[in-house]
Amino acid sequence: MGTRRTGGLPARLENVRRRFELWRQGREPGTRIPERLWSAAVKAASRYGISRTATVLRIDYYSLKSRLEEESGSCATPAATPEVAFLELAAPAGDASGHCVLELQDAAGSKMRVELRGFEAPDLAALTRSFREDQP
């Protein structure tokens, strides 16, 4: 859904990584990371996790964690308090003969369970693609 992967990284995280690399190439030794880059790193960490973001961007894990906690106003990391959402899809009117239960889980542990009655295969393919594209 708008996030394309480049070289194994989500496009947004790759973009932030490139910004850090450009900054590193032009900086003088001992220069602190600018706030605009910290802000981008915090946004990436809230989406892709602190450890993964710190590793990819080559920045201190604990500094990133404390900035993320300051911004969110809590001590819990995003992975510790996952959001649970429910989305009900209305079945199309007509003869509904298909039935399917689909359970997806990625390597990070994100899960999605879908039970469909009266569906078309292209709908299922689009739903599966959107789940996979949004994963870190």
Side-chain angles (χ1 to χ4, degrees):
M1 294 176 92
T3 302
R4 295 196 180 156
R5 296 175 189 258
T6 358
L9 291 177
R12 291 177 184 160
L13 186 55
E14 176 63 23
N15 183 29
V16 176
R17 187 196 65 77
R18 275 191 249 126
R19 289 173 55 195
F20 266 84
E21 290 306 315
L22 286 172
W23 171 76
R24 283 186 176 107
Q25 291 172 2
R27 75 177 176 100
E28 293 187 26
T31 306
R32 293 186 176 267
I33 298 173
E35 283 304 314
R36 62 184 167 76
L37 288 179
W38 272 120
S39 178
V42 166
K43 286 179 186 173
S46 68
R47 182 170 179 123
Y48 304 110
I50 299 169
S51 180
R52 182 179 190 192
T53 302
T55 301
V56 168
L57 301 180
R58 297 184 301 137
I59 57 178
D60 181 60
Y61 171 91
Y62 295 103
S63 297
L64 180 58
K65 181 180 177 183
S66 69
R67 285 177 178 263
L68 181 63
E69 289 171 352
E70 285 174 17
E71 186 170 293
S72 68
S74 74
C75 293
T77 61
T81 56
E83 281 190 33
V84 177
F86 177 77
L87 174 64
E88 182 176 356
L89 302 174
D95 183 28
S97 58
H99 178 254
C100 176
V101 175
L102 176 67
E103 293 183 5
L104 301 171
Q105 181 174 355
D106 69 357
S110 296
K111 295 179 183 180
M112 180 171 74
R113 183 177 193 274
V114 180
E115 185 171 346
L116 298 171
R117 296 173 198 262
F119 69 96
E120 304 226 357
D123 297 338
L124 184 58
L127 185 64
T128 304
R129 260 193 314 279
S130 74
F131 177 75
R132 292 186 68 220
E133 290 174 356
D134 281 349
Q135 299 306 305

